[in-house]
Amino acid sequence: MKSKIIHAPDLSKAASRRKEQTVFDILKSEHLASLTEMVKGWFYYIKTYGCQANVRDEETMRGMLEGIGCQPTEDAQKADIIIVNTCAVRENAEDKVYGEIGNIKYLRKTKPNLVLALCGCMVEQPEILDRVVKTFPEINLFFGTHEIPNLYDLLFEAMMSRERIINVESKPGEVVEELPVSRLNRFKAFVNIIYGCDKFCTYCIVPYTRGKERSRKFEEVIKECQDLVNQGYQEITLLGQNVNAYGKDLPDKKDFADMLEAVAKLGIPRLRFTTSHPWDFSEKMIDVIAKYPNIMKSIHLPVQSGSDEILRKMGRRYNREHYLNLVKSMREKIPGLTLSTDIIVGFPDETEEQFLETLSLVDVVKYESAFTFIYSPRKGTPAARMVDNVSKEIKTKRFLELIKHLEVSIEDSSKKMIGHSYDLLVDGVSKTDANMLSGYTDGNKLVHFSGDESMTGKIIKVRITESHTYSLIGEIVNGQD
Ligand code: SAH
Ligand code: SF4
Ligand code: F3S
């Protein structure tokens, strides 16, 4: 089958940050009525990889598909529309996607009218897109992260055309409001406040796949959050690649602290946010977090490295001292705060000494949880062109050593919780033990306990009885209604 290329990705265009104002738009489609007729009785299946931005994108696509009468299915074989929503942040994220397509591509033979689509961050990279287009002739629709609001027209085109449709336009991106949403969780919700990223950390592909930083209008975010409160949601997580940059591109001078405060005042029982960039974290934000009990005392603050030289090469815009001062101020002003982080080991030419600085930072900060990664070169990023004389073996050794150091403070913080009681938002049956329920504390610690499934979606109090490195065991505190 031939391919019809409407737009092809282009990394230099993706990197451009034109200064013009963000364009605000709403959903429109030329083909809504005919498409609704064409998909009568259809099922859809979406498989999402990557970060919460991708999960929230899936929820928009679900909302759009259900808006034209399609029903969700967990069984790809039953589906008439299959969408694989991809991540490109590290090589192993990509490998998972190749595995998934390998598993489902045979369905094309059983269902000639199947729409098999690939979207998300992987297709935004020209070479990857080229490779998947060539390797998987079964896929008949490719669309980029900016194209989600056009899903109806894309589906229509893919269904009407004899050709494979490729529409991946590299551009700064718009903010499109009033998109439908079908949420994956009925008591915890993600709300985007800012899209894209302008930081261009030298190792990272995200600014190329997600476009420029563009904030949603203050009142649109408040409207979405108010709706969630009205529907009885228990937890909102405000989302952005860099939430603290919120508002910098808006004329009304509202910043992330103003946003947090306004959402907290709506009365949502739990408010979280992710991800924070240390460079944009102000004292005003810390003060707001400290002031409102319903803002969870848990901050994800990626450090990436403890070495000033590596931080400089990464383009992170802060140094070790700045980061440690920020942590100090947070810990002083926010009692009971838990801190989590992201760390990359094996950045190009990282010396043993530089790595030891990361270990010593980890020992000083005493994180309550952490995500650790071995550096993965991303084509098109500046770091991918840097000389790297560090062997794979050394990188793996450092990675394991880092985890050992992190586990000391993680275990320690868990142990200190034994005997104390914490509020828990119950997620439901535990993923690791079908006889237990599980949920997260304010500080984002995972607790398993035995209880009735009807507690799902409620906030209850548990006393911690046992601690493991990455989870805790608790019991319900009696006397709760
Ligand atoms: N916007 C967020 C999340 C970015 S991706 C932030 O700035 O923190 C999540 C994490 O993936 C990053 O924090 C970083 O630790 C890691 N990461 C990104 N690119 C990577 C790469 N090329 N190799 C290894 N880890 C990477
Ligand atoms: Fe990537 Fe850095 Fe932006 Fe985070 S802040 S998304 S690590 S470029
Ligand atoms: Fe992955 Fe794209 Fe998120 S690269 S981490 S899905 S922004």
Side-chain angles (χ1 to χ4, degrees):
M1 223 198 284
K2 280 203 305 199
S3 298
K4 178 177 169 188
I5 302 174
I6 300 170
H7 291 290
D10 175 337
L11 285 189
S12 60
K13 272 194 199 152
S16 103
R17 290 295 183 265
R18 281 177 265 140
K19 286 284 172 240
E20 70 239 34
Q21 283 283 310
T22 298
V23 177
F24 293 90
D25 207 346
I26 55 162
L27 175 69
K28 45 193 177 292
S29 165
E30 286 171 37
H31 303 294
L32 197 55
S34 12
L35 188 66
T36 309
E37 203 48 48
M38 287 156 76
V39 299
K40 262 211 171 103
W42 278 29
F43 286 90
Y44 75 86
Y45 169 90
I46 304 180
K47 178 82 187 170
T48 290
Y49 296 89
C51 65
Q52 291 97 331
N54 258 17
V55 175
R56 186 61 187 77
D57 282 349
E58 171 178 342
E59 293 184 332
T60 298
M61 292 192 278
R62 290 167 62 91
M64 292 180 78
L65 290 168
E66 287 165 28
I68 51 171
C70 294
Q71 288 176 59
T73 173
E74 301 276 304
D75 177 7
Q77 291 189 38
K78 200 175 159 190
D80 307 281
I81 299 172
I82 296 179
I83 301 176
V84 183
N85 187 17
T86 64
C87 170
V89 78
R90 284 170 294 276
E91 198 177 348
N92 57 1
E94 285 172 23
D95 292 341
K96 285 189 205 155
V97 169
Y98 293 127
E100 171 76 10
I101 310 170
N103 285 338
I104 56 174
K105 63 180 184 185
Y106 77 95
L107 293 169
R108 160 71 58 220
K109 285 209 182 81
T110 59
K111 238 182 218 174
N113 290 333
L114 177 75
V115 178
L116 180 50
L118 198 72
C119 69
C121 291
M122 262 170 83
V123 298
E124 295 283 339
Q125 284 165 291
E127 280 164 46
I128 298 182
L129 179 63
D130 239 27
R131 180 175 160 192
V132 281
V133 167
K134 286 197 185 106
T135 322
F136 300 108
E138 297 85 357
I139 303 175
N140 64 331
L141 173 60
F142 301 84
F143 60 98
T145 58
H146 301 298
E147 250 56 60
I148 290 173
N150 302 325
L151 183 62
Y152 289 144
D153 292 346
L154 289 166
L155 285 175
F156 183 81
E157 203 146 352
M159 285 158 69
M160 296 302 284
S161 172
R162 300 240 132 253
E163 295 167 312
R164 309 162 79 194
I165 305 296
I166 300 173
N167 193 352
V168 186
E169 188 176 9
S170 299
K171 57 181 179 179
E174 303 89 28
V175 172
V176 183
E177 294 293 353
E178 298 176 32
L179 292 174
V181 56
S182 166
R183 295 188 188 270
L184 289 156
N185 191 302
R186 61 193 161 80
F187 50 88
K188 294 196 321 193
F190 292 130
V191 175
N192 284 311
I193 62 170
I194 179 168
Y195 302 99
C197 182
D198 286 350
K199 290 288 181 288
F200 287 99
C201 302
T202 55
Y203 51 82
C204 186
I205 196 69
V206 173
Y208 306 83
T209 65
R210 291 272 167 186
K212 73 165 185 173
E213 277 174 4
R214 49 214 195 275
S215 304
R216 286 180 71 195
K217 287 183 182 159
F218 200 82
E219 58 276 20
E220 290 290 344
V221 175
I222 298 300
K223 201 166 84 186
E224 186 174 339
C225 293
Q226 182 65 63
D227 274 355
L228 291 163
V229 172
N230 297 348
Q231 289 169 46
Y233 271 79
Q234 298 294 307
E235 182 175 293
I236 288 175
T237 303
L238 302 178
L239 281 189
Q241 291 306 332
N242 180 6
V243 280
N244 327 71
Y246 176 81
K248 286 187 177 178
D249 55 328
L250 294 178
D252 52 4
K253 296 282 163 261
K254 291 244 176 43
D255 64 13
F256 177 60
D258 301 322
M259 173 62 83
L260 257 186
E261 182 157 34
V263 179
K265 280 184 175 165
L266 297 176
I268 186 81
R270 288 181 157 208
L271 178 57
R272 299 186 187 278
F273 53 91
T274 198
T275 300
S276 304
H277 192 295
W279 191 74
D280 286 313
F281 220 115
S282 66
E283 288 296 318
K284 181 179 166 196
M285 292 169 197
I286 301 178
D287 293 338
V288 170
I289 297 164
K291 183 172 165 194
Y292 290 87
N294 58 342
I295 302 180
M296 297 296 95
K297 307 304 179 228
S298 148
I299 299 175
H300 186 60
L301 195 67
V303 67
Q304 314 298 359
S305 167
S307 147
D308 281 348
E309 178 55 16
I310 293 289
L311 287 171
R312 193 190 59 74
K313 281 168 75 176
M314 285 177 162
R316 288 291 289 180
R317 305 179 188 204
Y318 54 84
N319 58 20
R320 181 186 172 102
E321 189 190 354
H322 173 264
Y323 186 91
L324 289 175
N325 284 337
L326 186 59
V327 167
K328 188 161 170 271
S329 171
M330 286 174 173
R331 293 247 197 238
E332 274 170 12
K333 286 184 171 173
I334 311 172
L337 176 73
T338 63
L339 275 174
S340 58
T341 198
D342 292 346
I343 299 173
I344 299 176
V345 293
F347 189 77
D349 261 357
E350 181 191 54
T351 65
E352 188 64 22
E353 208 174 30
Q354 288 163 344
F355 170 65
L356 291 176
E357 288 182 78
T358 298
L359 288 188
S360 77
L361 179 130
V362 160
D363 294 342
V364 173
V365 176
K366 297 188 180 13
Y367 292 103
E368 278 80 7
S369 88
F371 298 95
T372 46
F373 311 102
I374 294 182
Y375 167 70
S376 168
R378 304 285 76 200
K379 236 191 167 88
T381 62
R385 296 188 287 274
M386 292 178 189
V387 178
D388 188 4
N389 288 309
V390 188
S391 70
K392 248 190 172 156
E393 290 69 38
I394 292 184
K395 291 187 184 200
T396 309
K397 191 176 132 274
R398 287 180 187 165
F399 181 70
L400 297 173
E401 211 170 321
L402 172 65
I403 291 176
K404 258 202 261 163
H405 272 252
L406 283 162
E407 283 181 348
V408 173
S409 62
I410 295 171
E411 272 170 26
D412 195 44
S413 70
S414 297
K415 257 190 213 134
K416 282 191 186 135
M417 293 171 73
I418 295 178
H420 297 278
S421 298
Y422 296 88
D423 281 341
L424 212 67
L425 174 53
V426 184
D427 276 329
V429 175
S430 155
K431 283 185 187 138
T432 48
D433 182 346
N435 296 316
M436 304 278 264
L437 299 180
S438 67
Y440 285 88
T441 64
D442 297 17
N444 227 4
K445 287 275 199 179
L446 177 62
V447 182
H448 303 283
F449 66 101
S450 100
D452 193 275
E453 237 188 293
S454 64
M455 290 175 164
T456 303
K458 301 208 169 89
I459 294 172
I460 60 154
K461 222 176 238 333
V462 292
R463 185 180 303 108
I464 305 302
T465 55
E466 217 181 290
S467 79
H468 303 281
T469 312
Y470 296 107
S471 65
L472 298 136
I473 308 290
E475 60 188 16
I476 298 170
V477 175
N478 287 326
Q480 299 182 77
D481 44 315

